[in-house]
Amino acid sequence: MDNEKKQVTYNSSITGETQVTFDIQQYMNNMAMFIGLMCNEDGYEEPFGDVTVNLSVAAPNYCGYLNVNDMPDIEKFITDNDLGEFT
């Protein structure tokens, strides 16, 4: 079985291109979907950025609120990689 995570390219207007993998979990307080991006720095997997944010108003199932403040290019990343649709 292949345990390699699929890498995709996050193209940031601030830091340029970075190869990232997904970290999909749940927020502990309300079990809402958390999506983060991980990158490889000097052979170690490290957090790159949080795709979602946890707001007090719950998002519908299989939906999340995007972290556009910390990741201003996240909408383009989602569109370019056909990762979801906006509601």
Side-chain angles (χ1 to χ4, degrees):
M1 181 180 274
D2 186 8
N3 287 334
E4 285 289 316
K5 293 180 180 180
K6 181 180 181 201
Q7 289 190 340
V8 292
T9 302
Y10 185 85
N11 192 0
S12 169
S13 57
I14 299 167
T15 61
E17 289 186 359
T18 303
Q19 293 298 308
V20 295
T21 59
F22 294 95
D23 176 26
I24 301 173
Q25 298 183 38
Q26 292 178 314
Y27 290 105
M28 295 303 294
N29 69 325
N30 59 8
M31 302 314 224
M33 178 174 54
F34 164 81
I35 301 174
L37 296 178
M38 304 293 288
C39 66
N40 191 318
E41 289 289 329
D42 299 322
Y44 297 98
E45 190 173 59
E46 295 187 6
F48 178 76
D50 294 346
V51 174
T52 58
V53 292
N54 192 14
L55 301 180
S56 60
V57 177
N61 287 339
Y62 305 103
C63 294
Y65 298 112
L66 294 180
N67 185 7
V68 295
N69 289 335
D70 295 333
M71 299 190 80
D73 303 298
I74 196 63
E75 291 177 1
K76 183 171 178 7
F77 172 75
I78 289 171
T79 302
D80 288 351
N81 291 284
D82 197 25
L83 297 173
E85 50 188 63
F86 299 100
T87 58

